[in-house]
Amino acid sequence: MIYLQLFLSYLKIGFFGFGGGYAMISLIYNEVVVQNGWLTATELADIAAISQMTPGPIAINCATYVGFSVTGTVWGSLLATVAVCLPSLTLMMLATRFYLRLHRNRHFAGAMEGMKPMMIGLILSSALMLFGPETFIDWKSWLIFGGCFVASVLRVNPILLIVLSAVVGIVLYA
């Protein structure tokens, strides 16, 4: 039963997760933390951080981890990963077939323009959900956040920021 629930949850995330991984975090949060209680908000924030540093899309990395965490098996990881990828794969195969015919259609172009602000809203929503007392527990967290935010605005290389924040975390928390 847990496998079916996991599959359906990640299938839903895959179908309605427009805008990429960050936009999908709010959907993942709702399914994994709120609806099913598989992880805490803190655990999901940790998974999102780790998923951002590992190769591959954040939603797929989260699905793989949550699938393993919920079932305790590699099959659970595989199932959640396939479920989150299946809708995109299907939709992309269909979209690729019809895109060349539709990209000049004003209704199609209008729909694409309408989805841009929605994606930004979902990304902002995800950021705000991860922005809480469970993830920013003390002044050290705020210091790392503030430094990374300023460095990002100054266009410091994101890889350098990841490495530096890990080093600062080791120094401040170890």
Side-chain angles (χ1 to χ4, degrees):
M1 185 64 178
I2 191 72
Y3 286 96
L4 178 62
Q5 191 177 8
L6 181 67
F7 182 79
L8 292 175
S9 290
Y10 269 95
L11 194 63
K12 186 190 319 181
I13 291 166
F15 265 118
F16 297 104
F18 293 100
Y22 295 111
M24 292 171 87
I25 290 176
S26 59
L27 289 169
I28 294 168
Y29 179 87
N30 185 56
E31 284 295 313
V32 172
V33 176
V34 177
Q35 297 295 323
N36 294 301
W38 291 328
L39 298 175
T40 66
T42 302
E43 290 170 324
L44 184 62
D46 290 343
I47 300 307
I50 292 168
S51 294
Q52 186 168 315
M53 292 186 302
T54 57
I58 191 169
I60 294 172
N61 292 343
C62 280
T64 303
Y65 178 83
V66 171
F68 186 82
S69 178
V70 168
T71 65
T73 68
V74 173
W75 294 113
S77 289
L78 185 63
L79 183 70
T81 303
V82 167
V84 80
C85 293
L86 191 59
S88 332
L89 176 64
T90 306
L91 291 173
M92 282 309 298
M93 288 172 67
L94 292 171
T96 300
R97 182 174 178 162
F98 296 106
Y99 179 76
L100 291 175
R101 283 190 228 156
L102 293 176
H103 79 283
R104 291 194 178 128
N105 178 295
R106 67 184 179 101
H107 299 293
F108 181 79
M112 293 295 109
E113 286 300 314
M115 284 199 283
K116 288 178 186 176
M118 177 271 308
M119 287 185 272
I120 293 169
L122 285 174
I123 292 168
L124 181 59
S125 167
S126 298
L128 292 174
M129 275 191 238
L130 295 174
F131 206 30
E134 295 106 7
T135 53
F136 287 86
I137 52 176
D138 56 20
W139 66 271
K140 300 170 193 173
S141 299
W142 286 102
L143 178 71
I144 294 169
F145 169 76
C148 286
F149 181 78
V150 169
S152 294
V153 170
L154 297 174
R155 300 192 186 263
V156 173
N157 184 312
I159 296 169
L160 180 61
L161 287 179
I162 291 169
V163 171
L164 288 176
S165 64
V167 169
V168 170
I170 290 168
V171 169
L172 292 178
Y173 289 103

